[in-house]
Amino acid sequence: MKASRPLVILSTLAAALLAGCASEPPKPVAPTKPKLLVFIVIDGLPMRQVTGYRDQFAPDGFRRFLDRGATYLEAHYSHAHTVTAAGHSVMLTGAHPQRTGIIGNEWVDPQTRKEVYNTQDKDYQYIGNKTDSMAGTSPRMLQAETVGDVLRTADPLSKVIGVSGKDRGAILPAGHKGQAYMFMGATGQFASSTYYMDKHPAWAEAFNAAKPADALYGKVWTPLLPDKCADGKTSQQASPGAPLYACGAYARSAADGQDFQSTEKSVNGNTLPAVIGGKLSGPGAEFYKLILPSPYGDELTLAFARAAVEGEQLGLDEHPDILTVSLSSHDYVNHAFGPESKLSHDHMLQLDLHLQAFFQYLDQRVGKGNYLLMLTADHGFADTPEWAKSLGRDAKRASSKQMLEYTNAGLVQRFGEGKWATATSAMGLLFDEQLIAQRGLKSEDVYQAAKQVLLTHPEVAAVFTPDQLRSNDESTPYLAAMRKSWHPDRAAPVQVIPKQGRLYSTRTSGSSHGTPYAYDHHVPILAWGPAWVGQGEVRQWVEVADIASTLSGVFQIPVPRQSQGKPLPLPR
C-alpha cells in the first residue's frame, strides 16, 4: 500500500522558485485557489460499479479521475441509514446526520407524529411551478453550514449554484447561502424556489422556454456496446436454474427482462432498446416523469448545468465559485433494475460519455488549470435479493409492516393489549407514549422490552435504545454507525439494523439501499485538478465527511462549524 501525504496547497511563490531552478522557461502556474469547484454527485453509485466497468469507460469521463486524478479506493459513509438526503447532507458540511438533522429522506416527527420531508418548507414555493405540500423548497431543515456557506461568508461575490433532478440533491449541497434548481417532473422545467429568489434569471427562463425536455420524447435508449452472444441471443445461462446473464460486452451483468426487474409505469420497460415515452402520445407530465429513469435525465441536467455556468459566468473571475451537480438517473435505474443489471451497466457507460462531454466543455469554457472536479455518491446499492440469492447469497425482501406487527405481538405478551409500537420512522420505531404513561410504565422499560422482542426477529441484526445511542460505547457492532444517524429530536427512540442482504421495502422488484453494510456505504471519491489534488490511488479508509475539510483547505477558508471530518490524504 502506498503511503499518503496530508493535503498541501502549493503556493504560487514556491512554484515559481522551483521553476526558476530549471533550465527551461517557467511554465504557467495554476491559481492558488480554483476559480471554480465542480462538485458532482452520482446518486446511488456504489464504488464497485466504478471499478467494475473501468475497462469499458471512455478516455475522459470517469477515467479522467481514474487515470489522471486522485482515486480513493476505500471511501465510505460511516452513518447507518444510507439514503439520498442523509448522504447529500454530509458531503459539503462534513457533518454526520446526528448533527445535520437530515436523518433520512423523510421521517415522522416524534413530537407531532406528522411526516416530515427533509427539505420541506411551507413558507416557500417553486417559481412558475406547482408546489406540493411535501415538496423540497429550502435548506431550513439542514442544521449545519456547508463549504459554500463559509465561502460566501468570506467572499459574498462568490457564487454557489446547485442543480439536480431531485430537490434534495440540489438544495442540500447548495447550503443556506447558495441557489438551487431542481427538475420539475410535471413540466419538464428546472425551477428554483422563492427561498432563493423572486423570479428566475433570464438564462434559466431561456433554457426552460426552449423546452429541451420535449426534444427527448421518443428517443431510443440503445446499448452502447455489442450485446449479442454467438447464437444471436442477448442472454445466456450455464444450466437450467442458473443465473441468467447478459451477452457480449455485458456478459458480467444480469440479463434484462427478468421478473425481478421493474415494469412499472414509472420506467420505460425493463429491456433494451427502450423508447422513452414510447407508450405515450407526446410530451407532457407523464412523459417528463420517464426522463429521469433513463440516460437522458443526466443529459438534461448537465445541459442545465452548462446554462448555469454561462448564465452566472462561473469561474471567470478572482471570486471562486461552486457548482454542485447531483445526477439522479442512476439511482432511478438501480432502484428499478438493480445495480447488477445490464440496464445499470449500460447506464454507467452512457453516463460516462455525458461526463466526458461536460468535462471537455469545462476545459474550453473555464480552462483546465482553473477548476477542480470532485465526484462522489450519496450512497451505494444492494443487488436485488433475487439475483443475490441466485448466486448463493443469503438475501430476501422483508417488510417493515410485519416487523411492526411482530414487535407489538411481543409487547402485548409482556404489557397487555395495546398498539405499543405505532409507526416506523427512518430506521426506527415510534411508540404510543400516552399509552405507556396511562399504564404506569416507563418509556425506557418499554423500549428495552421492544429491543428484546426484535432481537428474536429472524431478519434483525441489532437493536439500539436511547441509552445506548447516548453512550460512548464504540465496541458494539453497528452502534457507532447508528449513533451517527440518530438525532435525538428527530429520530425514533428504538433503532433497528436489518440483517445483511435484507431489503426492507414496499417494492416487489428492483433494489434499494439504506443499511450500514459495505454495499450501501462504499462509494467513490474521485478528484481531478493536479494543482490541488495530485494524481494516483489512495488505498486507506477515508470518509465522505472528509471532503468538506479538504475543500476548505483548497479554498483557504475555515471548515464548516459542524464538520466532523479531516483532510483527505493525497496520493504520492
Side-chain angles (χ1 to χ4, degrees):
M1 181 173 68
K2 289 186 177 181
S4 301
R5 57 183 169 83
L7 174 66
V8 177
I9 302 171
L10 185 64
S11 71
T12 304
L13 176 60
L17 289 172
L18 289 172
C21 295
S23 58
E24 297 180 1
K27 296 179 179 180
V29 178
T32 57
K33 303 177 187 178
K35 292 185 176 182
L36 175 64
L37 164 67
V38 179
F39 189 82
I40 296 175
V41 183
I42 310 300
D43 199 321
L45 175 60
M47 183 61 176
R48 67 184 185 275
Q49 287 196 293
V50 176
T51 55
Y53 308 138
R54 179 174 184 165
D55 60 308
Q56 295 179 337
F57 289 147
D60 207 20
F62 282 105
R63 283 180 54 190
R64 175 176 291 209
F65 301 108
L66 299 172
D67 296 346
R68 303 183 297 283
T71 300
Y72 295 85
L73 294 170
E74 290 293 339
H76 301 263
Y77 283 99
S78 60
H79 62 266
H81 193 38
T82 44
V83 295
T84 297
H88 278 85
S89 78
V90 172
M91 299 165 186
L92 294 179
T93 65
H96 302 298
Q98 64 184 167
R99 292 191 181 184
T100 68
I102 307 299
I103 61 171
N105 293 336
E106 57 274 318
W107 58 89
V108 178
D109 186 290
Q111 284 74 45
T112 66
R113 299 303 169 101
K114 293 181 179 179
E115 189 173 6
V116 177
Y117 183 66
N118 63 90
T119 48
Q120 72 179 52
D121 193 335
K122 294 182 179 179
D123 290 336
Y124 302 100
Q125 294 78 41
Y126 292 137
I127 298 171
N129 285 264
K130 180 183 177 182
T131 308
D132 294 331
S133 59
M134 295 286 284
T137 57
S138 94
R140 181 178 62 86
M141 300 293 292
L142 179 65
Q143 296 180 333
E145 64 181 359
T146 64
V147 172
D149 293 333
V150 179
L151 178 65
R152 294 207 70 234
T153 299
D155 186 348
L157 294 180
S158 292
K159 295 182 178 181
V160 177
I161 306 292
V163 178
S164 181
K166 297 180 181 180
D167 49 21
R168 53 192 182 269
I171 292 170
L172 295 171
H176 300 274
K177 296 185 177 183
Q179 294 181 336
Y181 295 86
M182 37 249 139
F183 181 70
M184 301 284 106
T187 63
Q189 298 179 356
F190 280 85
S192 190
S193 83
T194 52
Y195 170 84
Y196 304 100
M197 61 193 77
D198 294 327
K199 63 179 183 179
H200 288 147
W203 65 263
E205 291 286 357
F207 182 91
N208 287 329
K211 297 185 176 182
D214 288 14
L216 300 174
Y217 172 74
K219 289 200 74 168
V220 181
W221 177 5
T222 302
L224 279 176
L225 301 179
D227 66 342
K228 299 289 195 300
C229 286
D231 59 6
K233 295 181 179 180
T234 57
S235 62
Q236 55 185 327
Q237 197 169 28
S239 61
L244 191 66
Y245 282 92
C247 284
Y250 303 92
R252 68 193 75 174
S253 300
D256 55 11
Q258 302 198 56
D259 290 343
F260 54 82
Q261 297 165 347
S262 179
T263 57
E264 297 174 358
K265 291 182 179 179
S266 59
V267 297
N268 298 282
N270 64 0
T271 60
L272 296 179
V275 180
I276 311 304
K279 296 182 179 180
L280 302 174
S281 59
E286 293 302 313
F287 165 70
Y288 299 135
K289 295 173 184 176
L290 296 175
I291 294 175
L292 288 182
S294 80
Y296 307 111
D298 298 330
E299 180 181 313
L300 187 63
T301 303
L302 288 169
F304 188 82
R306 290 192 192 201
V309 169
E310 295 180 14
E312 297 291 342
Q313 298 287 291
L314 300 180
L316 298 185
D317 59 26
E318 68 276 16
H319 305 284
D321 302 318
I322 297 175
L323 172 67
T324 71
V325 184
S326 181
L327 299 172
S328 308
S329 291
H330 200 63
D331 182 72
Y332 282 87
V333 170
N334 279 351
H335 269 300
F337 314 116
E340 77 281 358
S341 67
K342 172 185 173 182
L343 291 104
S344 181
H345 182 162
D346 189 71
H347 184 265
M348 279 290 290
L349 304 183
Q350 304 265 2
L351 169 61
D352 181 54
L353 290 181
H354 292 319
L355 291 176
Q356 176 173 265
F358 186 57
F359 298 162
Q360 291 173 352
Y361 160 78
L362 291 171
D363 291 344
Q364 295 299 315
R365 173 75 187 182
V366 183
K368 276 190 174 184
N370 292 324
Y371 73 97
L372 171 64
L373 283 173
M374 186 165 277
L375 183 149
T376 190
D378 52 350
H379 54 77
F381 244 96
D383 287 345
T384 53
E386 293 81 3
W387 178 256
K389 193 171 183 178
S390 76
L391 298 177
R393 300 185 212 147
D394 181 16
K396 64 185 296 186
R397 296 183 186 274
S399 166
S400 297
K401 179 181 178 182
Q402 190 277 332
M403 182 177 68
L404 192 66
E405 292 171 349
Y406 186 94
T407 305
N408 274 316
L411 292 177
V412 165
Q413 290 184 2
R414 172 78 181 272
F415 300 116
E417 289 298 322
K419 187 176 181 181
W420 299 93
T422 59
T424 58
S425 176
M427 292 191 80
L429 295 182
L430 291 165
F431 296 82
D432 189 334
E433 302 294 340
Q434 186 175 3
L435 175 63
I436 292 171
Q438 287 173 350
R439 299 288 177 89
L441 300 169
K442 294 181 179 179
S443 294
E444 291 76 11
D445 293 339
V446 176
Y447 301 159
Q448 187 63 32
K451 172 182 175 177
Q452 297 307 316
V453 171
L454 282 163
L455 286 175
T456 68
H457 191 287
E459 314 307 339
V460 170
V463 184
F464 302 114
T465 60
D467 287 345
Q468 289 176 288
L469 293 162
R470 292 190 181 100
S471 75
N472 295 320
D473 179 358
E474 295 291 335
S475 61
T476 299
Y478 310 120
L479 177 55
M482 194 68 254
R483 186 179 292 125
K484 290 176 181 178
S485 278
W486 192 73
H487 188 286
D489 297 330
R490 294 183 177 181
V494 174
Q495 297 291 309
V496 184
I497 305 291
K499 284 186 176 178
Q500 189 165 349
R502 272 48 179 182
L503 190 67
Y504 276 87
S505 173
T506 57
R507 300 171 187 264
T508 57
S509 60
S511 191
S512 198
H513 49 86
T515 73
Y517 300 113
Y519 50 76
D520 283 342
H521 67 61
H522 187 191
V523 298
I525 295 180
L526 309 174
W528 177 87
W532 304 287
V533 297
Q535 178 180 335
E537 294 181 345
V538 176
R539 296 179 179 273
Q540 71 191 70
W541 180 289
V542 298
E543 296 190 9
V544 175
D546 297 336
I547 291 174
S549 58
T550 304
L551 293 176
S552 297
V554 170
F555 283 122
Q556 302 170 34
I557 56 176
V559 298
R561 284 189 300 271
Q562 296 290 341
S563 178
Q564 295 165 280
K566 56 188 178 183
L568 289 166
L570 295 186
R572 70 177 187 186

